[in-house]
Amino acid sequence: MSEQLITPELRQWIIQQAQAGHSADVVLEAMKASGWEESVALDALEQVMMAGAAQAQAATRHVPEVVTDGLSRVWAHDKFVNVLVQIRHPRVVVFGDFLSAQECEELKAQAQPRMTRSQTVVNATGDSEVNEVRTSQGMFFERGESELCRRIEARIAALVNWPVENGEGIQVLRYAPGAEYKPHFDYFDPNQPGTAPILKRGGQRVGTVVMYLNTPDSGGATTFPDAGVDVHAVAGQAVFFAYGLPHPSTKTLHGGAPVQQGEKWVATKWLRERPFE
């Protein structure tokens, strides 16, 4: 087609496919097979599944989303959270006062005895391994493992309008001086053979919340290279980003810049399409 328009009928068709349980990558492939140009198909999917998520009903919402109604301070389960920055594409929101100083210290204390060298997913098998791209130490809590975990998980669920059961357990990471996490995507590459068994546990990852448990003396920002955005690590703040498609067009390539002085502690929460088991 020389010129392909995103019509209301096309948007409705995409919504129907999502309601029928088809994932975004399956819908994308179906559109391409029907003759849609990939760029047009991606734009249509993002309009429906990302930009429209704030207005969608909870039953048909397909990506987590922050709904502020123009307010700079929103209620999240048990406290008010400040909305400091919002970016539409990529969908990035920075929050202030997400965690109290006491919660930051308590989470670090609970995690400390179980810290080991962080691992990354092996695309070919779906297993995990130590990799030089990620030089932090970390551990995972089970979802709802402690009262503190349950409180934070409920706060995230309320803030991004996503069910608690669709979240993985909180991961706590410690970056020593010089440690970093090179730029990567959080979704699982659908073209890799190791992805299929991972998706059985709850579908694709569709959103991430990174919570800062301390403020490094220097360095350690969360970087979004494709968007030219850096989010500095400040104790108690958090950054949320959503990616409705497992595709680089979401511009959610991100990394943890090297810590130059001091250390950096973060807690990460990944959100899945379906209940995570």
Side-chain angles (χ1 to χ4, degrees), residues 10-275:
L10 176 60
R11 295 190 184 95
Q12 183 59 37
W13 179 84
I14 293 172
I15 291 173
Q16 290 172 349
Q17 300 309 300
Q19 290 175 339
H22 301 300
S23 64
D25 51 318
V26 169
V27 177
L28 174 61
E29 291 303 317
M31 293 178 69
K32 289 165 60 179
S34 297
W36 288 92
E37 297 176 5
E38 183 173 17
S39 60
V40 178
L42 285 169
D43 284 345
L45 281 167
E46 289 180 352
Q47 285 185 28
V48 173
M49 305 179 83
M50 295 183 69
Q55 288 76 37
Q57 295 181 355
T60 59
R61 185 178 289 120
H62 301 288
V63 290
E65 177 60 290
V66 179
V67 181
T68 65
D69 294 326
L71 300 175
S72 61
R73 197 164 178 253
V74 295
W75 182 255
H77 175 63
D78 62 341
K79 65 175 293 183
F80 279 105
V81 173
N82 294 322
V83 181
L84 303 181
V85 176
Q86 292 198 67
I87 302 172
R88 297 300 174 189
H89 189 64
R91 185 55 173 142
V92 177
V93 185
V94 181
F95 302 107
D97 297 323
F98 182 80
L99 296 176
S100 68
Q102 180 178 345
E103 289 172 329
C104 290
E105 292 305 313
E106 187 178 346
L107 200 57
K108 287 164 58 179
Q110 290 184 12
Q112 179 71 62
R114 292 155 57 181
M115 302 290 281
T116 60
R117 174 68 185 270
S118 299
Q119 298 184 339
T120 60
V121 173
V122 181
N123 288 327
T125 64
D127 296 326
S128 298
E129 67 175 4
V130 172
N131 191 305
E132 65 179 7
V133 305
R134 193 178 199 187
T135 53
S136 60
Q137 290 185 318
M139 58 78 63
F140 276 96
F141 289 104
E142 294 291 332
R143 190 176 62 228
E145 179 173 327
S146 67
E147 189 281 329
L148 177 60
C149 287
R150 291 191 293 273
R151 187 192 322 148
I152 295 172
E153 288 164 350
R155 194 175 298 162
I156 291 172
L159 195 59
V160 304
N161 296 284
W162 206 244
V164 169
E165 60 268 24
N166 287 26
E168 299 180 27
I170 293 171
Q171 183 187 44
V172 174
L173 298 169
R174 173 186 175 271
Y175 293 82
E180 65 178 321
Y181 194 177
K182 293 182 180 179
H184 60 282
F185 292 102
D186 279 353
Y187 60 75
F188 304 110
D189 188 342
N191 297 315
Q192 295 295 329
T195 294
I198 296 174
L199 298 185
K200 291 180 180 179
R201 299 190 64 191
Q204 267 289 359
R205 287 176 175 169
V206 290
T208 302
V209 179
V210 178
M211 299 159 274
Y212 303 105
L213 307 184
N214 80 315
T215 304
D217 295 331
S218 180
T222 301
T223 65
F224 294 85
D226 290 347
V229 173
D230 293 349
V231 179
H232 294 287
V234 177
Q237 293 189 6
V239 59
F240 158 75
F241 50 101
Y243 32 97
L245 297 171
H247 194 276
S249 65
T250 58
K251 296 185 179 180
T252 54
L253 183 73
H254 65 286
V259 176
Q260 297 171 358
Q261 293 182 325
E263 62 180 15
K264 180 178 76 170
W265 285 78
V266 300
T268 302
K269 180 75 170 178
W270 286 294
L271 309 173
R272 295 287 194 104
E273 288 178 297
R274 303 187 296 274

